[in-house]
Amino acid sequence: MESKTRLNKFLIFNAVLLLILLYLNISFGDSSVINPFNVKGTNAAVLQLRLSRTVVAMFTGALISISGLYLQLIFRNNLVDPGLVGLTSSANFFKNLLVIFLPIFLGSKIIYGAVGSLLLIGILVWIKAKDVSPTKFVLFGVCLSVFFTCLNQILNYITHNQESSIFAGFNLISPNQAYLMIILGCILLTLLILFDKYIPYYSFNDNKIIELGIDIRKINIYILLIISIVISTVVGIVGEFLFLGIVIPNIVKQIDGIKTNRYFIDTILLGSNLMILSDFLGRNLFYPVEIPAALICNIICAPILFYFVIRGSNGSEEY
């Protein structure tokens, strides 16, 4: 009963915190305060921009975090993260490369980025099939991430793209991009929640799961295909993020323990909260200078990740 009450409190805490952060990020900032319930005159335009970036930040945090959770379960490695293993950097590189040669339209960067994320998913599945150790798997991922990051920087120099930054933010988000994120985000989260019922089975090895009558390899492929679209969506609309996909799932697993039925909802709520908080702090801490939300998020996540690496997740010595 105590464990159940604790989990319910964590869920309620996240839900209440999300409402508070949504209100703060929409109402406060840029040295002005807006009453969302009584908008007049020029405040309407400011409110629309804040609402757009807040909604995109919320979905970004949720999508990156839940992708990290599924990747950690599939690859049996608590240090797997969409950014750390090269998914975001490969999507970003192909997005910037193909946009040079192919038409540009709303959502085109998502489609072009999907080429890179699908390629990386294939490489990661191939590495997993080699039965490498968790440490070597992460090192392979880091090498891939650095490789595509370098390619992207070379491309930026060649095309004289001075606007590209390795730290993503929400300052350039338009209402149309927000609508696109809402539509795709809802679809992708709905698809991913269909696989929530399989999360408890990942405590067994693949052979044991197959013996239970579940084709886990096929399920993994379906999830990874969805995640590739998730990553291309986030990168195409916002940009790259690091550490969020590691830290949030590990916090949730630490708090929820064996209650895996809470993993999905707690992960997306906590991820959304951290991303909205990062955007709020980035906009207001050093106004009028805006710090990218990804940079603030990394600063928050880095010491937490350090703690988990030293301590181990759920008491485990090896990550």
Side-chain angles (χ1 to χ4, degrees):
M1 179 64 70
E2 181 180 353
S3 176
K4 184 176 179 180
T5 303
R6 181 186 177 190
L7 292 179
N8 287 337
K9 286 183 178 180
F10 184 61
L11 179 64
I12 294 171
F13 168 78
N14 273 311
V16 172
L17 181 61
L18 178 61
L19 294 176
I20 294 173
L21 289 173
L22 286 172
Y23 176 76
L24 290 176
N25 208 42
I26 293 171
S27 302
F28 296 87
D30 309 326
S31 75
S32 64
V33 179
I34 295 176
N35 181 358
F37 306 104
N38 185 28
V39 179
K40 297 180 181 179
T42 58
N43 282 346
V46 178
L47 176 64
Q48 185 180 41
L49 291 175
R50 290 187 190 172
L51 184 60
S52 296
R53 68 184 296 160
T54 301
V55 169
V56 172
M58 179 180 68
F59 274 99
T60 297
L63 290 170
I64 290 291
S65 299
I66 198 61
S67 296
L69 174 65
Y70 276 117
L71 288 172
Q72 289 175 16
L73 294 173
I74 291 172
F75 294 111
R76 314 301 176 112
N77 191 325
N78 287 330
L79 279 180
V80 173
D81 167 84
L84 196 62
V85 298
L87 275 171
T88 56
S89 58
S90 63
N92 199 30
F93 169 69
F94 277 92
K95 175 198 74 175
N96 293 333
L97 177 65
L98 296 180
V99 80
I100 300 174
F101 306 101
L102 299 176
I104 301 176
F105 51 89
L106 183 63
S108 61
K109 293 182 178 181
I110 297 175
I111 297 173
Y112 302 155
V115 176
S117 57
L118 285 170
L119 173 64
L120 246 291
I121 286 293
I123 295 175
L124 293 176
V125 171
W126 175 76
I127 295 174
K128 182 177 184 290
K130 297 294 182 180
D131 198 26
V132 299
S133 68
T135 302
K136 286 185 178 180
F137 185 88
V138 172
L139 289 176
F140 275 123
V142 171
C143 290
L144 291 169
S145 180
V146 172
F147 175 72
F148 281 105
T149 298
C150 291
L151 287 180
N152 196 48
Q153 290 301 311
I154 292 172
L155 186 64
N156 289 336
Y157 283 118
I158 294 174
T159 58
H160 303 288
N161 182 10
Q162 302 299 325
E163 298 180 358
S164 179
S165 173
I166 60 174
F167 297 111
F170 304 99
N171 56 310
L172 299 178
I173 295 298
S174 68
N176 286 338
Q177 289 175 312
Y179 298 144
L180 184 61
M181 177 63 93
I182 292 172
I183 294 171
L184 292 178
C186 289
I187 293 173
L188 292 169
L189 287 174
T190 301
L191 291 174
L192 286 173
I193 202 172
L194 296 176
F195 299 95
D196 176 48
K197 59 184 178 182
Y198 297 108
I199 290 179
Y201 294 101
Y202 284 99
S203 58
F204 307 111
N205 60 45
D206 288 356
N207 293 330
K208 179 63 176 178
I209 299 174
I210 293 173
E211 289 177 6
L212 295 173
I214 300 173
D215 192 348
I216 194 64
R217 293 188 177 92
K218 184 182 293 185
I219 291 171
N220 286 346
I221 294 299
Y222 291 153
I223 296 174
L224 290 173
L225 288 175
I226 297 171
I227 287 177
S228 68
I229 305 302
V230 167
I231 299 305
S232 65
T233 298
V234 172
V235 172
I237 295 177
V238 187
E240 295 187 55
F241 290 87
L242 289 172
F243 298 152
L244 183 70
I246 303 178
V247 170
I248 296 299
N250 277 289
I251 292 176
V252 170
K253 285 184 281 187
Q254 189 77 16
I255 292 175
D256 289 351
I258 61 173
K259 301 293 184 178
T260 55
N261 61 311
R262 291 285 186 177
Y263 281 9
F264 190 95
I265 185 64
D266 286 347
T267 298
I268 62 174
L269 285 177
L270 189 58
S272 297
N273 286 335
L274 180 55
M275 190 54 65
I276 296 174
L277 176 64
S278 299
D279 184 48
F280 180 77
L281 293 176
R283 275 196 303 129
N284 295 285
L285 277 180
F286 302 102
Y287 180 82
V289 176
E290 178 169 335
I291 309 299
L295 182 55
I296 299 293
C297 186
N298 288 349
I299 292 174
I300 295 173
C301 288
I304 301 175
L305 177 59
F306 179 77
Y307 166 78
F308 277 121
V309 170
I310 295 298
R311 185 178 184 275
S313 178
N314 294 324
S316 173
E317 293 297 329
E318 182 174 355
Y319 240 46

